């Protein structure tokens, strides 16, 4: 019998994942069900069995969770959602962290070309998309930042490898915009 065909294991996995408040890693699942061979085929088989249903079993960033089928989410919205827009600085900072993690604040500033306010990183951490990722072993030991599994889940990414590449961004027209023209103003410094 293959690992994905064990009905008792499938039931145990369902119960653990359904009751969990947070997505579970493979190691956390093993702590609950014990060593029962390779659990990955069982999880994948269970995921396939839930694919046509109202809830789906998904893996995001190495963690497994049940979520509402994307095409049915509108049925669960009973109140109007308040959409909070991120500032341009927050979006740029999030992109730098996602593409370059782990990255320090000075590295983010170097890539963006402007200073990063502490509030920008705080907003991303409050959203649950960014986390501290240790300290860099360089003078001053700056704090490093990385994305979280919540970031992957929110943007429906299986892993960071699913982030759009340069070709994808160009195809979407996001890199074809002309940069703002510099203003050629006469210098009006002090008197000569």
């Amino acid at each position: 019998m293959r690992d994905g065909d064990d009905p008792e294991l499938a039931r145990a996995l369902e119960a653990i994942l359904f009751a969990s408040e947070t997505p579970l890693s493979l190691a956390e699942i093993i702590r609950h069900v014990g060593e029962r061979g390779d659990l990955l085929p069982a999880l994948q088989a269970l995921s396939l069995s839930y694919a046509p249903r109202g809830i789906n079993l998904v893996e995001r960033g190495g963690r497994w969770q049940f979520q509402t089928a994307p095409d049915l989410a509108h049925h669960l919205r009973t109140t109007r959602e308040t959409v909070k827009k991120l500032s341009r600085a927050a979006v740029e900072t999030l992109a730098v962290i996602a593409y370059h993690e782990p990255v320090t604040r000075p590295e983010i500033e170097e890539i963006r070309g402007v200073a990063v306010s502490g509030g920008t990183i705080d907003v991303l951490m409050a959203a649950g998309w960014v986390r501290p990722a240790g300290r860099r072993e360089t003078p001053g030991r700056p704090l490093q930042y990385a994305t979280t599994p919540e970031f992957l889940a929110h943007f429906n990414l299986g892993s960071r490898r699913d982030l759009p590449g340069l070709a994808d961004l160009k195809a979407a027209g996001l890199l074809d915009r002309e940069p703002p023209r510099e203003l050629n103003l006469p210098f009006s410094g002090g008197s000569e």
Side-chain angles (χ1 to χ4, degrees), residues 96 100-114 116 136 138 142-145:
V96 169
H100 298 279
E101 71 180 58
V103 64
T104 64
R105 185 183 195 146
E107 291 168 336
I108 296 168
E109 292 172 347
E110 184 178 331
I111 292 167
R112 287 192 58 227
V114 295
V116 176
R136 176 82 32 98
T138 59
L143 190 60
Q144 300 178 113
Y145 297 97

Side-chain angles (χ1 to χ4, degrees), residues 1 16 31 39 42 49-50 56-57 66 72 82 102 126 129 132 138 153 173:
M1 180 184 302
I16 291 161
R31 277 196 295 255
L39 289 182
S49 74
Y50 273 95
N56 300 142
L57 177 61
F66 279 111
L72 299 177
T82 304
W129 296 340
T138 59

